[in-house]
Amino acid sequence: MLIKMKAKIKTSLPGPKSSKILNKLKKLNGGYYDPYPYVHSNKGDGCYFYDIDGNLFLDFACQVASNPLGYNYSELISIVKKYSTYPVKYAGQDFAIKEHAELLEELLTITPHDLNAAFLINSGAEAVENAIKICMRGREKAKFGLAFEHSFHGRTLGALSLTHSKEIYTKNYLKIPNQTLSYNENVGEELNSLLKSYSSEEIAFVIIEPVQGEGGYNIASKEMLKDLRKITRENEIPLISDEVQSGVGRTGKWWAIENFDVKPDVISAAKALQVGATIANKKMFPESGAISSTWGGGALIDLALGKKIIQIIKKEKLLNNINKQGTYLRKRLNEISLHNVRGLGLMNAFDLNNKEERNNLIIECLKNGLVLLGCGKKSIRVIPPYIIKKEEIDEGVSIIEKAYKKISKKGFKHTGLICKYMSCGEHPT
Ligand SMILES: Cc1ncc(COP(=O)(O)O)c(C=O)c1O
């Protein structure tokens, strides 16, 4: 980056050009919920991006952890430019393209040793869906799976059945059978107690986010994950680590579960990888034809970007930067006395007193050019790109500090157009 950038908001939020598009979306998008009060332009650099009204934002939300290298990373632009033919999406499981094989090869250089095969798919939810399916296939006596309180695994019905973060996602939807474990040290006791009522073969799988995402950025303890692994291994119950949000470097290791010295049987990934992936030992995958999808392993540009992103993280030693800047970020957030600052690498969060205060802070930061995301009931995620520098952390933290002082004043209330977007802090992925 040649010119030093600094967040700058020149218009009301949303600005006039953004407002037009947001109004159209509100009318036409069947899945509409309050998006952020701006519309992206394709301009930006590193951790900064412009909206179409010319406002410059500092991004500590990273497209919900799916944009790990920020905006317009030159080597990624070169990949995009390389694909100027049509189609850019093939029916990749049926008709082979080399990008499919190449991403698999690169991905499997960063997975735990025994996890030596992967199935590529369109989204995080589908990565979870297929993780569940490959576990169930070999377990004909299975009756139910085990998931955790506050979990978020996606929106397709299988993954949604295992999602226990907020009722709005699940109300009236039929579920695949599952029971819920506590996300704390009681898990060993709970699992042992279940194994007194059911045989291990009746349990199809256990699925866990080593760091919970949408449900509140809760971090599992080492003891909890060790107990879980020990009992599941002794009873031959497959353990799925859902790393859709935490995987591919976000926590300072390639996989969040590596922070706990635990090896899962299956990993689900997506977001930073640009495509969904269900990763396991080749022997765990079912017979040919059992799992597939038209576009799985077929989105040329996404596959090539996924491979390049892994290569850049390796080449630029970004795991070191993630750990170094993550430690610095938490130190700075603690210095301004925020509650319950927590995180691994660049997957961080802190708490406010309640949801209203949380949403107020997100909006106030936005008005000053910093993008943050909510999670859980009253938490804020701080998830900048892997390339973040110390000065950019300082800029972001100083915006948070000023905003926090402002919204903490008695009787504080937002006014104007922005009030229509007050719930954008409750971002549901
Ligand atoms: C842990 C986890 N699993 C699954 C999903 C679903 O991914 P997608 O939205 O790509 O379907 C998410 C999305 O945020 C997630 O955080």
Side-chain angles (χ1 to χ4, degrees):
M1 202 192 303
L2 293 174
I3 311 160
K4 192 177 162 352
M5 295 179 116
K6 200 164 186 304
K8 193 166 173 49
I9 304 302
K10 306 191 303 193
T11 68
S12 60
L13 288 181
K17 291 183 187 159
S18 293
S19 278
K20 271 194 190 155
I21 294 178
L22 287 165
N23 287 339
K24 213 178 271 184
L25 281 169
K26 185 161 192 161
K27 207 163 130 198
L28 303 177
N29 175 8
Y32 186 91
Y33 51 85
D34 287 344
Y36 276 60
Y38 54 77
V39 173
H40 273 274
S41 73
N42 52 10
K43 295 187 198 122
D45 196 352
C47 302
Y48 297 85
F49 69 87
Y50 286 96
D51 74 358
I52 57 172
D53 291 284
N55 297 306
L56 181 61
F57 293 88
L58 173 58
D59 192 354
F60 279 13
C62 271
Q63 305 297 315
V64 201
S66 70
N67 178 18
L69 302 182
Y71 297 87
N72 290 323
Y73 198 97
S74 63
E75 286 175 71
L76 299 181
I77 299 270
S78 307
I79 298 279
V80 174
K81 282 192 178 152
K82 202 171 128 190
Y83 291 97
S84 56
T85 51
Y86 186 84
V88 288
K89 272 168 122 172
Y90 285 78
Q93 302 292 345
D94 299 287
F95 303 97
I97 51 173
K98 78 174 174 16
E99 286 78 359
H100 185 176
E102 285 173 359
L103 176 56
L104 285 172
E105 210 165 41
E106 191 63 48
L107 174 62
L108 295 168
T109 65
I110 61 166
T111 53
H113 178 63
D114 294 349
L115 277 59
N116 59 7
F119 170 66
L120 302 183
I121 194 82
N122 311 295
S123 66
E126 288 168 277
V128 169
E129 208 68 50
N130 284 284
I132 304 167
K133 283 172 74 177
I134 67 170
C135 291
M136 280 180 178
R137 193 66 167 202
R139 298 175 74 76
E140 57 191 37
K141 294 194 181 140
K143 290 201 171 122
F144 61 94
L146 292 174
F148 283 81
E149 58 180 352
H150 315 306
S151 56
F152 187 92
H153 295 295
R155 310 283 189 149
T156 51
L157 281 176
L160 188 65
S161 303
L162 308 168
T163 289
H164 300 297
S165 58
K166 297 192 183 88
E167 204 204 336
I168 185 169
Y169 309 146
T170 54
K171 200 168 86 186
N172 285 356
Y173 297 147
L174 298 176
K175 298 180 176 63
I176 61 165
N178 72 98
Q179 298 195 28
T180 312
L181 296 169
S182 305
Y183 199 81
N184 58 36
E185 278 80 16
N186 294 337
V187 71
E189 217 176 289
E190 286 178 12
L191 197 47
N192 278 330
S193 144
L194 267 173
L195 285 162
K196 286 187 186 130
S197 310
Y198 301 94
S199 77
S200 61
E201 290 163 313
E202 287 176 295
I203 301 174
F205 56 83
V206 180
I207 184 163
I208 186 165
E209 296 158 89
V211 180
Q212 288 190 321
E214 193 277 337
Y217 273 39
N218 308 310
I219 308 174
S221 71
K222 264 202 169 147
E223 191 189 335
M224 169 186 166
L225 265 171
K226 284 233 145 76
D227 281 356
L228 184 64
R229 179 68 283 194
K230 184 167 177 285
I231 302 169
T232 49
R233 182 157 284 142
E234 280 168 6
N235 290 280
E236 296 181 6
I237 301 166
L239 178 63
I240 305 167
S241 185
D242 183 359
E243 305 250 3
V244 166
Q245 189 152 164
S246 60
V248 194
R250 173 64 50 196
T251 66
K253 300 231 183 232
W254 285 112
W255 307 102
I257 200 158
E258 290 172 326
N259 290 288
F260 306 87
D261 299 322
V262 160
K263 206 152 79 176
D265 300 299
V266 186
I267 291 176
S268 48
K271 293 199 191 266
L273 190 63
Q274 310 300 296
V275 300
T278 306
I279 308 160
N281 189 278
K282 179 81 170 144
K283 289 193 200 119
M284 272 197 82
F285 287 91
E287 66 275 28
S288 163
I291 54 172
S292 192
S293 159
T294 305
W295 282 338
L300 272 182
I301 300 178
D302 298 347
L303 294 162
L305 288 173
K307 173 184 148 196
K308 196 51 143 188
I309 285 170
I310 297 174
Q311 288 175 336
I312 292 169
I313 297 173
K314 286 180 182 170
K315 179 166 68 94
E316 301 298 330
K317 302 195 172 23
L318 288 177
L319 294 182
N320 293 343
N321 194 53
I322 292 166
N323 284 309
K324 182 173 147 196
Q325 304 301 350
T327 305
Y328 181 65
L329 172 62
R330 288 186 294 281
K331 174 176 160 284
R332 294 288 286 109
L333 292 173
N334 274 316
E335 277 168 9
I336 59 170
S337 301
L338 294 167
H339 310 303
N340 194 14
V341 173
R342 58 195 181 275
L344 292 172
L346 288 173
M347 186 165 185
N348 298 292
F350 61 89
D351 287 349
L352 279 300
N353 289 318
N354 52 51
K355 180 167 118 175
E356 192 190 348
E357 225 180 61
R358 185 266 307 277
N359 293 1
N360 276 343
L361 185 66
I362 288 178
I363 292 288
E364 192 56 31
C365 285
L366 269 181
K367 283 164 84 175
N368 289 285
L370 177 69
V371 186
L372 296 164
L373 275 169
C375 64
K377 289 197 174 74
K378 53 178 188 178
S379 306
I380 291 187
R381 301 179 233 202
V382 192
I383 47 174
Y386 300 175
I387 51 170
I388 187 115
K389 298 192 200 86
K390 181 174 174 289
E391 308 84 82
E392 292 158 346
I393 291 180
D394 287 336
E395 183 187 348
V397 173
S398 118
I399 295 175
I400 296 173
E401 183 177 21
K402 271 192 222 135
Y404 185 48
K405 279 191 188 141
K406 190 163 173 189
I407 65 127
S408 301
K409 285 195 183 130
K410 209 165 167 248
F412 172 85
K413 249 196 164 12
H414 287 287
T415 52
L417 206 51
I418 199 97
C419 292
K420 283 195 196 156
Y421 295 85
M422 283 310 295
S423 61
C424 76
E426 295 159 38
H427 201 73
T429 48

